Amino acid sequence: MPPTFGWIKCNTDGGYDDITKDNGAGYVMRDFSSKASFCAFIIFDVESAEEAEARAIWVVLKKAVELKLTHIIVESDAQELVSQFSAGRFDGTPRTNAINKDIQLFASSLIDCIFSFRPRTSNYVAHELAKWEKNNKSSMYRSVPHVWLRHFVEEDH
């Protein structure tokens, strides 16, 4: 479902391969009309799937603050992280503690920030962005989706 007027929905996903250590994060931002207003795929220096998922949430909130957005819904398939962030708990490893504190800071600088769990099937575009990034290792931020991704963005809400 698209967000209500005045809100931006941000679907995020992070991916990590335990064997190759390849990773990627992706997100797509949508307004109430379901139009994608921004998307990105990014590579980070991470050491776990949880850290990749946290980085995906971190980068979308960082972008929301940069864009001076005020009402954000962050959707992720990282259920444990979503539960922690929704409850205001930021448990983690020494590597994720700084990321989690930044997430808390970014979220608190918005008027309202909701964290919501969505299964991967409801988070398809962000998953595809993270998967593409993990395989191609080339970060990119775009105000419009790549041609190969447009169909998925338009169909996915």
Side-chain angles (χ1 to χ4, degrees):
M1 297 294 298
T4 58
F5 184 80
W7 285 78
I8 300 294
K9 181 170 80 168
C10 308
N11 293 89
T12 70
D13 194 34
Y16 181 79
D17 186 308
D18 289 323
I19 297 168
T20 66
K21 310 298 184 206
D22 291 335
N23 72 87
Y27 70 81
V28 60
M29 294 179 165
R30 289 193 182 84
D31 64 16
F32 68 95
S33 70
S34 292
K35 181 181 178 200
S37 58
F38 208 88
C39 65
F41 35 92
I42 309 101
I43 190 167
F44 291 106
D45 177 24
V46 298
E47 295 181 357
S48 69
E50 179 183 36
E51 192 177 351
E53 295 282 4
R55 279 290 186 183
I57 294 169
W58 176 87
V59 75
V60 79
L61 285 175
K62 183 176 185 283
K63 181 53 76 176
V65 169
E66 287 172 6
L67 294 173
K68 298 182 181 358
L69 302 176
T70 58
H71 293 76
I72 303 296
I73 301 166
V74 178
E75 294 186 344
S76 171
D77 63 5
Q79 190 167 15
E80 181 59 32
L81 285 176
V82 167
S83 295
Q84 286 181 34
F85 297 152
S86 294
R89 283 189 355 258
F90 296 93
D91 303 330
T93 67
R95 282 185 61 93
T96 60
N97 280 340
I99 299 166
N100 295 349
K101 287 178 183 176
D102 279 352
I103 289 170
Q104 183 179 25
L105 176 67
F106 294 147
S108 69
S109 68
L110 303 168
I111 291 174
D112 208 349
C113 181
I114 298 169
F115 296 95
S116 179
F117 167 73
R118 290 292 177 262
R120 181 169 291 159
T121 55
S122 299
N123 207 25
Y124 183 74
V125 172
H127 174 72
E128 287 300 305
L129 286 167
K131 187 168 78 173
W132 190 90
E133 174 57 35
K134 189 170 71 171
N135 295 329
N136 292 284
K137 300 172 185 73
S138 172
S139 298
M140 185 174 294
Y141 296 85
R142 298 185 55 102
S143 58
V144 293
H146 271 278
V147 172
W148 63 268
L149 194 60
R150 283 189 191 145
H151 171 73
F152 298 115
V153 171
E154 292 167 3
E155 295 298 316
D156 184 53
H157 303 288

